[in-house]
């Protein structure tokens, strides 16, 4: 990675999430742009362009949603599972600013896809499961929606509408040129004061203040989300400068993170009975464990 690129990434907010609220409109949002972190994740695999694009979209959506978590150490896992398409599994997760992801595809089927394939061509029939593991309380919540719509972002909007009943607008854009890949996105949702953490009585899809915000957020151009010369604050200013007030929080830094350490797998394998461990053990006395996120095999002494 060149120094110039690093300087540029610090200046324009690559691999950062900017949180904002529009208090007078009862709306909150996140805007993210992934650069080096995305490239690191993609470089662990030899994915064709169409599949890289899909994973980049999923990572942007995961970062946008994950950064809504208040509880440090809480984890968001996004899993798309499908049959009949070119991709049958996509997994991404977020924990404390760390993101990672991978997908499984049929190379021959992917080669037959058009340049901008529909969600249906990519996945066939499937579902999107969003799971929250809350570190403090140890609770786990899961929402499942069908993988339907024109894009992955639309399937996520359905998740918010159906499982959380929060009207949400999502936009994602990916720019790929050679090995360089930039992906950006925006999430904006209606969030009336005092409603946080409580059961929603009904979704205010037709609320005039929300309709206005959704139109403004929806007017963001794909180029603006991935333009390295445009700060995340500038993206917001362009969209919302006529609003009474836009509050922003300090930028949250994102990293590529994985948990595939020898200690981690040792603790998992310790739960297996000895006869099963004996079956898994190789001649050299170790057990080979495959990390799909990193595309690597670890030899665990167990
Ligand atoms: Zn790993």
């Amino acid at each position: 990675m060149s120094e110039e690129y690093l300087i540029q990434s610090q200046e324009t907010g690559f691999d950062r999430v900017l949180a904002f609220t529009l208090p007078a409109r009862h709306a909150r949002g996140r805007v993210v742009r992934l650069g080096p972190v995305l490239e690191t994740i993609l470089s662990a695999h030899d994915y064709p362009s169409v599949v890289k694009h899909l994973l980049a979209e999923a990572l942007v959506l995961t970062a946008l949603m994950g950064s809504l978590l208040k509880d440090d150490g809480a984890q968001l896992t996004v899993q798309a599972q499908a049959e009949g398409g070119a991709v049958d599994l996509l997994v991404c997760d977020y924990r404390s600013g760390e993101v990672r992801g991978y997908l499984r595809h049929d190379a021959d089927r992917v080669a037959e896809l058009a340049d901008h394939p529909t969600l249906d061509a990519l996945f066939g029939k499937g579902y999107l499961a969003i799971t929250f593991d809350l570190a403090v309380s140890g609770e786990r919540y899961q929402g499942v929606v069908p993988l339907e719509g024109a894009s992955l972002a639309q399937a996520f909007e359905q998740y918010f509408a159906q499982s959380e009943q929060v009207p949400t607008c999502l936009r994602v854009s990916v720019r790929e040129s050679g090995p360089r890949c930039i992906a950006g996105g925006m999430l904006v949702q209606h969030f009336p004061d005092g409603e946080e953490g409580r059961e929603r009585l009904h979704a205010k899809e037709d609320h005039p203040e929300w309709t206005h915000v959704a139109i403004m957020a929806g007017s963001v151009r794909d180029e603006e989300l991935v333009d390295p010369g445009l700060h995340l604050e500038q993206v917001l200013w362009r969209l919302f400068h006529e609003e009474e007030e836009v509050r922003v929080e300090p930028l949250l830094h994102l990293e590529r993170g994985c948990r595939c350490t020898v200690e981690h797998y040792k603790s998992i394998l310790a739960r297996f009975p000895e006869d099963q461990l004996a079956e898994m053990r190789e001649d050299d006395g170790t057990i080979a464990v495959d990390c799909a996120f990193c595309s690597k095999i670890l030899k665990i002494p167990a």
Side-chain angles (χ1 to χ4, degrees):
M1 200 173 300
S2 71
E3 192 186 334
E4 185 194 339
Y5 189 41
L6 279 174
I7 291 168
Q8 203 181 40
S9 72
Q10 282 164 7
E11 283 175 352
T12 57
F14 272 127
D15 301 325
R16 282 163 171 81
V17 182
L18 183 63
F20 64 96
T21 51
L22 305 169
R25 302 282 186 188
H26 305 293
R28 69 169 182 178
R30 299 287 184 272
V31 55
V32 67
R33 189 176 295 138
L34 295 177
V37 162
L38 174 63
E39 286 171 11
T40 306
I41 293 172
L42 296 176
S43 69
H45 310 270
D46 187 19
Y47 291 141
S49 179
V50 163
V51 163
K52 270 191 194 174
H53 198 103
L54 177 67
L55 185 57
E57 275 182 33
L59 287 162
V60 165
L61 292 161
T62 302
L64 289 170
M65 267 186 94
S67 64
L68 293 172
L69 293 169
K70 283 189 280 308
D71 179 2
D72 193 39
Q75 180 168 318
L76 166 80
T77 307
V78 167
Q79 183 163 334
Q81 221 161 348
E83 275 178 19
V87 176
D88 71 340
L89 179 70
L90 183 156
V91 184
C92 292
D93 67 27
Y94 173 101
R95 189 168 77 176
S96 306
E98 289 187 350
V99 287
R100 58 179 186 168
Y102 74 95
L103 55 73
R104 204 166 59 200
H105 67 285
D106 178 329
D108 294 336
R109 299 283 303 272
V110 168
E112 290 165 12
L113 292 172
D115 269 353
H116 299 284
T118 60
L119 206 57
D120 191 49
L122 284 164
F123 287 105
K125 289 269 165 287
Y127 65 84
L128 176 69
I130 309 249
T131 311
F132 294 93
D133 288 293
L134 305 182
V136 173
S137 60
E139 287 169 291
R140 166 177 272 220
Y141 299 99
Q142 189 176 62
V144 179
V145 290
L147 264 173
E148 287 170 1
S151 64
L152 205 54
Q154 276 193 9
F156 273 72
E157 284 179 348
Q158 278 310 302
Y159 162 79
F160 279 108
Q162 289 175 27
S163 290
E164 299 202 4
Q165 274 116 51
V166 180
T168 303
C169 174
L170 282 161
R171 293 291 304 273
V172 180
S173 174
V174 180
R175 180 197 281 178
E176 207 194 327
S177 60
R180 181 68 42 89
C181 193
I182 301 172
M186 178 181 279
L187 173 155
V188 185
Q189 58 185 200
H190 188 230
F191 231 89
D193 285 340
E195 242 191 297
E196 205 152 351
R198 282 194 294 156
E199 198 74 16
R200 213 161 238 258
L201 295 178
H202 69 285
K204 296 177 181 173
E205 293 278 8
D206 57 349
H207 200 288
E209 69 190 13
W210 167 246
T211 306
H212 176 80
V213 172
I215 290 169
M216 300 310 287
S219 73
V220 69
R221 287 181 289 122
D222 285 349
E223 310 88 79
E224 292 175 310
L225 291 171
V226 292
D227 180 355
L230 202 60
H231 289 253
L232 297 178
E233 288 87 346
Q234 286 174 294
V235 174
L236 290 184
W237 189 85
R238 286 187 178 188
L239 295 172
F240 301 118
H241 66 276
E242 285 178 359
E243 291 300 310
E244 196 180 299
E245 187 184 9
V246 183
R247 281 187 213 157
V248 294
E249 286 169 32
L251 287 162
L252 168 74
H253 192 84
L254 296 171
E255 280 174 56
R256 192 267 173 195
C258 198
R259 264 90 74 191
C260 60
T261 60
V262 171
E263 291 68 35
H264 173 73
Y265 288 121
K266 260 187 163 174
S267 71
I268 293 176
L269 289 170
R271 296 176 217 150
F272 283 78
E274 178 50 38
D275 57 330
Q276 280 188 32
L277 290 176
E279 266 178 43
M280 294 188 272
R281 212 167 273 138
E282 314 218 346
D283 293 343
D284 64 1
T286 64
I287 292 174
V289 182
D290 173 23
C291 178
F293 291 98
C294 300
S295 262
K296 71 175 183 193
I297 291 170
L298 283 98
K299 296 236 171 206
I300 313 299

